Amino acid sequence: MRIEENRVFDEIAVGDTAEVRRICTEDDFYVFATASGNHNPMHLARHDGDGDGQEEAVAPALWVGSLISAVIGNILPGAGTLYRAQNFNFHKRAHVGDELIARVTVTEKRPPDCLVMATEVTRKSDDAVIVSGEAHVQTPRRKMVFENLEVPGLLVERHRHFDALIERAEPLAPLPTAVVAPEEPKSLGGALLGGQHTIISPILVGDTAKIVAAAKEIGASLDGVEIIEEPDHLKAANIAVDLVASGRALALMKGHLHTDLLLKAALRKDNGLRAGRRFTHVFVMDVPGVPHPLLVTDAAINIAPDLRTKMDICQNAIDLARSIGIDDPKVGVLSAVETVNPDIPSSLDAALLSKMAERGQITGGQVDGPLAMDNAVDLGAARTKGIKSQVAGRAEVLVVPNLDAGNMLAKQLAYISHAEGAGVVMGAKVPIILNSRSDDDKARLASCAVAALHNARITGQLPVSQAAE
């Protein structure tokens, strides 16, 4: 940001005025809550702060008032100004989405260096005065100009993409889901939370005593929840697959058991869940600061996939991306380089997958590769390398060379970039919800939402409200 040249006392006249404009955003209010310690839910999006059934997101009054300081500190008088006094009268409330105009007008000069200024913040849409008041400031002592003053950027760790997916899934009819061995607090809590949000209808298969103990530990009720007793994990997984085969369940969910046991049951020859493609895992990542969900695949099942498997990995990811609302998924096939190098097998596979998509062997999205990580997700990096592509710099799906790379990427996003990850296995007859043991409630709930949205798209299901009409 460039701060304008400041003005000293002798350069300022009564009647001089300046203003700034600012659109209120949810993130502004979260930043204010963090900086001030004021966590009043009236100011936080997606919270009903006064119990009236409505989510308020009212702009904090002192946040609105602080916009006046932006005019004084940046423009009139500008750099070097110090406050002596400021009063506020609050007339109306601003909300998320309002465009506000903060304005100051010099009303009096008091030598040697004091200004009295009328201050106000108005709403552009209706000229309503939100805040009025008066400021007394000490003018700068010397002329200064600051160009390109750098202020550290702030990133709000809020998972808006998962919030949106959950909101989209809640109106759907609950997805009957066989949950295998939810015998500890996190796996049971995630399944029950999905039920509370009416995203899934859980059928619990496992050791009843352990399930009851886990429910007691988290203070959850099991009233109305079906429990099928089977302490052996492989047998429990087979029972869950039987529930799908009979039509009682339309999804599987991993509880507290090894992934290979769940997949062994799903891949069995008799009444298994094979559907013609390889089973592949997709992490749907909500990365703070990234304007869309980021899908990473395969980071959990296929260790060293060959070209045929990578073809299924791409197609499964495209199908899931479309289910969560990405109409024309852009798939970046990753390698260490962005040009084909015969000595780097992943670059050869990436180029072949790109050509296969071009020839219609992979459908529903755009596929390009090889792409290095930087030029897959950053448009500036792609342009610097001279890459001309609709995918480069805009990738929504990242196809990794192998499980090692995928696991490292997903965990880097989670533990360094503060992302949340929803895990789903694709390629089966029904979605398989597959979370990490360390995942929190938001990740598990989002995984349920992703599975429900995918099922809704492939079955043509309408939201409950539309179906009723």
Side-chain angles (χ1 to χ4, degrees):
M1 182 178 80
R2 181 181 189 276
I3 295 183
E4 301 291 341
E5 180 180 351
N6 69 353
R7 296 163 69 180
V8 296
F9 186 81
D10 291 341
E11 296 176 318
I12 299 171
V14 172
D16 286 353
T17 187
E19 67 180 41
V20 297
R21 300 187 176 211
R22 178 72 170 265
I23 295 176
C24 302
T25 70
E26 294 179 9
D27 283 355
D28 289 328
F29 302 169
Y30 283 113
V31 170
F32 181 83
T34 299
S36 67
N38 176 8
H39 297 167
N40 182 353
M42 285 292 291
H43 308 309
L44 305 179
R46 305 184 186 278
H47 290 277
D48 176 12
D50 57 7
D52 65 354
Q54 301 294 322
E55 297 172 355
E56 276 74 30
V58 176
L62 288 181
W63 178 86
V64 176
S66 73
L67 300 181
I68 293 168
S69 70
V71 189
I72 292 172
N74 292 347
I75 306 174
L76 180 65
T81 303
L82 294 173
Y83 259 118
R84 288 182 174 170
Q86 171 79 61
N87 64 44
F88 291 127
N89 295 301
F90 301 102
H91 305 282
K92 292 184 179 295
R93 304 296 177 191
H95 296 79
V96 167
D98 287 345
E99 183 175 357
L100 303 181
I101 304 170
R103 183 180 296 111
V104 303
T105 303
V106 179
T107 58
E108 184 182 350
K109 296 181 67 178
R110 296 178 181 175
D113 61 2
C114 181
L115 297 181
V116 180
M117 312 175 82
T119 61
E120 69 173 10
V121 179
T122 60
R123 184 166 46 224
K124 181 183 177 183
S125 62
D126 59 1
D127 293 323
V129 176
I130 308 298
V131 178
S132 65
E134 184 177 81
H136 293 206
V137 301
Q138 176 184 306
T139 56
R141 295 179 178 179
R142 59 181 61 88
K143 292 287 293 181
M144 290 182 289
V145 175
F146 290 92
E147 293 190 8
N148 299 320
L149 185 66
E150 290 191 15
V151 177
L154 296 177
L155 186 63
V156 176
E157 290 181 24
R158 186 162 59 87
H159 298 100
R160 68 188 74 198
H161 303 308
F162 278 5
D163 290 340
L165 292 175
I166 292 165
E167 188 173 318
R168 284 182 54 205
E170 285 177 333
L172 300 169
L175 181 67
T177 301
V179 187
V180 185
E183 297 165 353
E184 54 80 47
K186 283 192 174 181
S187 58
L188 177 62
L192 296 180
L193 188 62
Q196 291 166 14
H197 283 258
T198 68
I199 295 174
I200 67 170
S201 177
I203 304 169
L204 311 182
V205 186
D207 188 318
T208 303
K210 291 180 179 179
I211 294 172
V212 170
K216 184 177 180 180
E217 185 173 339
I218 60 177
S221 171
L222 294 172
D223 292 345
V225 179
E226 182 179 359
I227 302 176
I228 299 175
E229 166 70 13
E230 179 48 72
D232 182 275
H233 284 177
L234 180 57
K235 291 180 180 179
N238 277 303
I239 290 172
V241 172
D242 289 339
L243 292 174
V244 173
S246 67
R248 286 196 59 205
L250 297 177
L252 287 183
M253 185 172 185
K254 178 190 172 186
H256 192 59
L257 78 162
H258 290 296
T259 299
D260 58 350
L261 293 180
L262 182 65
L263 295 182
K264 182 178 181 180
L267 288 167
R268 70 191 191 192
K269 292 183 178 180
D270 296 330
N271 288 324
L273 302 183
R274 297 174 188 268
R277 288 190 204 148
R278 288 291 296 263
F279 281 18
T280 67
H281 183 271
V282 183
F283 273 121
V284 180
M285 309 293 293
D286 188 336
V287 187
V290 176
H292 52 76
L294 195 62
L295 281 66
V296 176
T297 185
D298 182 336
I301 294 180
N302 293 285
I303 298 172
D306 58 14
L307 182 63
R308 185 180 297 277
T309 301
K310 287 183 178 180
M311 181 179 174
D312 286 348
I313 288 172
C314 286
Q315 190 64 68
N316 286 341
I318 289 172
D319 290 349
L320 188 62
R322 294 180 63 196
S323 295
I324 64 172
I326 303 174
D327 293 332
D328 184 26
K330 291 175 278 295
V331 181
V333 188
L334 299 182
S335 182
V337 294
E338 62 280 343
T339 55
V340 176
N341 184 333
D343 294 326
I344 304 178
S346 62
S347 73
L348 296 173
D349 285 351
L352 290 169
L353 291 167
S354 178
K355 179 57 70 173
M356 293 169 80
E358 188 179 307
R359 297 288 176 87
Q361 292 174 269
I362 301 171
T363 61
Q366 303 180 59
V367 181
D368 193 18
L371 293 172
M373 182 66 185
D374 56 346
N375 46 58
V377 299
D378 185 89
L379 197 56
R383 287 173 175 169
T384 298
K385 294 292 182 68
I387 303 172
K388 296 180 181 180
S389 162
Q390 291 300 309
V391 175
R394 307 179 180 90
E396 294 144 333
V397 178
L398 300 176
V399 175
V400 298
N402 52 47
L403 186 143
D404 279 341
N407 188 273
M408 292 175 192
L409 174 56
K411 288 182 177 176
Q412 180 271 327
L413 291 172
Y415 289 95
I416 298 178
S417 301
H418 307 289
E420 291 272 14
V424 178
V425 174
M426 297 288 290
K429 293 178 181 178
V430 299
I432 302 174
I433 301 165
L434 193 67
N435 286 102
S436 299
R437 284 172 290 182
S438 59
D439 284 345
D440 63 12
D441 285 347
K442 174 60 74 69
R444 293 175 188 273
L445 184 59
S447 298
C448 293
V450 170
L453 290 169
H454 181 64
N455 176 75
R457 184 177 73 84
I458 62 178
T459 61
Q461 179 187 349
L462 292 174
V464 172
S465 57
Q466 295 182 30
E469 295 173 5

